[in-house]
């Protein structure tokens, strides 16, 4: 599949569908990180809307948010706060419960990494239900800091995603309504171009109704 790098958010076409069935997320954005040009442009697109804001720290959500969060923090010249899953921090901490894919979980930060009044960006790879992001927002606010905004590659318009859009500055990489609609329905049009199959056939693999090895038409993740 040929990718036109002149298009806004061109790197989104590097993302791959779930090929392992219903126990896995429908989308894998991580191939963006494997492409030097794609990762560079993605980080800039997520950072640029905040360059004129006063920011003290970036809070990145465990685990895939660490890739983006550290890069955005470096780009903005601020520190990184790692929002960890429960049981990972060996110091005094602050905890927050949240619901992610119907399971209640705990996230935490060390109790000395944020101060009252700090201005913070929450960064994660993707908002699906919004549970993790909302948990991180509550955790940062519990520490007395101010959430200036949220930055993610993909933001679905789930109830949690809509709440974040309505109440916080949300920066994401989806460039137009057509791609937003495709994202919300969990199927991107270029998937069938990436793999030489129809939407219905690929959907049976994504839903776990069929298992087979698909041959990629082109390796779009290779650096050009």
């Amino acid at each position: 599949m040929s990718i036109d790098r002149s298009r806004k958010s061109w790197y989104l076409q590097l993302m791959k569908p779930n090929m392992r069935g219903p126990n896995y997320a429908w989308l894998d954005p991580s191939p963006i990180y494997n492409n030097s040009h794609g990762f560079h442009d993605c980080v800039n697109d997520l950072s640029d809307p905040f360059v004129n804001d006063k920011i003290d720290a970036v809070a990145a959500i465990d685990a895939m948010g660490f890739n983006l969060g550290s890069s955005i923090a470096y780009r903005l010249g601020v520190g990184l706060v790692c929002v960890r899953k429960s049981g990972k921090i060996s110091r005094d901490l602050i905890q927050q419960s949240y619901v992610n894919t119907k399971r209640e979980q705990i996230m935490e930060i060390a109790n000395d990494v944020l101060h009252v009044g700090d201005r913070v960006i929450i960064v994660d790879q993707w908002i699906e239900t919004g549970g993790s992001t909302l948990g991180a927002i509550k955790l940062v606010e519990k520490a007395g800091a101010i959430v200036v905004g949220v930055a993610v590659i993909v933001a679905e318009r789930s109830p949690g995603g809509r709440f974040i859009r309505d109440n916080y500055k949300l920066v994401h990489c989806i460039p137009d309504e057509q791609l937003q609609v495709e994202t919300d329905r969990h199927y991107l049009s270029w998937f069938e171009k990436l793999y030489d199959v129809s939407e219905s056939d690929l959907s049976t693999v994504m839903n776990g109704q069929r298992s087979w090895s698909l041959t990629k038409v082109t390796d779009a993740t290779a650096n050009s």
Side-chain angles (χ1 to χ4, degrees):
M1 182 179 69
S2 176
I3 293 179
D4 179 4
R5 284 175 49 194
S6 67
R7 295 179 59 185
K8 182 175 175 57
S9 301
W10 66 271
Y11 45 81
L12 294 180
Q13 294 185 65
L14 299 169
M15 301 189 298
K16 302 295 172 59
N18 162 26
M19 304 304 295
R20 302 283 303 277
N23 293 328
Y24 295 83
W26 72 273
L27 181 68
D28 180 11
S30 66
I32 293 172
Y33 312 141
N34 304 136
N35 184 292
S36 59
H37 301 296
F39 192 30
H40 177 273
D41 289 353
C42 178
V43 168
N44 282 345
D45 286 347
L46 292 175
S47 303
D48 287 349
F50 295 104
V51 293
N52 294 321
D53 294 332
K54 183 184 182 301
I55 305 296
D56 297 302
V58 167
I61 300 176
D62 196 348
M64 299 305 290
F66 293 167
N67 303 316
L68 283 174
S70 57
S71 300
I72 292 172
Y74 180 81
R75 170 83 165 74
L76 296 176
V78 300
L80 177 71
V81 173
C82 294
V83 178
R84 303 302 310 274
K85 295 173 183 175
S86 179
K88 303 294 184 181
I89 297 176
S90 59
R91 313 197 323 256
D92 291 338
L93 49 82
I94 304 171
Q95 292 184 318
Q96 176 64 48
S97 63
Y98 69 103
V99 176
N100 186 27
T101 59
K102 300 181 180 180
R103 293 182 300 150
E104 184 168 320
Q105 301 180 63
I106 301 290
M107 58 175 56
E108 53 196 30
I109 57 174
N111 70 349
D112 57 355
V113 294
L114 288 175
H115 305 92
V116 174
D118 279 351
R119 296 173 60 81
V120 178
I121 302 170
I122 305 290
V123 175
D124 203 0
Q125 177 173 259
W126 175 16
I127 292 175
E128 188 173 13
T129 66
S132 299
T133 307
L134 289 169
I137 289 171
K138 292 178 182 178
L139 181 61
V140 167
E141 292 177 341
K142 184 182 287 188
I146 299 166
V147 176
V148 176
V150 175
V152 295
I153 298 175
V154 175
E156 296 184 27
R157 288 183 296 203
S158 58
R162 289 183 183 276
F163 179 86
I164 294 165
R165 288 173 189 265
D166 292 343
N167 292 277
Y168 296 90
K169 178 178 179 178
L170 175 62
V171 175
H172 59 82
C173 301
I174 299 174
D176 53 50
E177 178 63 16
Q178 178 182 343
L179 187 54
Q180 182 66 65
V181 169
E182 291 182 7
T183 300
D184 293 339
R185 64 184 283 261
H186 291 187
Y187 191 89
L188 305 182
S189 58
W190 63 77
F191 285 171
E192 56 203 79
K193 298 176 184 177
L194 182 63
Y195 298 95
D196 190 17
V197 294
S198 67
E199 176 177 349
S200 60
D201 282 343
L202 186 53
S203 293
T204 62
V205 178
M206 296 172 70
N207 294 329
Q209 299 167 340
R210 184 175 181 182
S211 176
W212 89 78
S213 176
L214 295 176
T215 302
K216 243 186 325 181
V217 177
T218 329
D219 189 355
T221 64
N223 288 322
S224 54

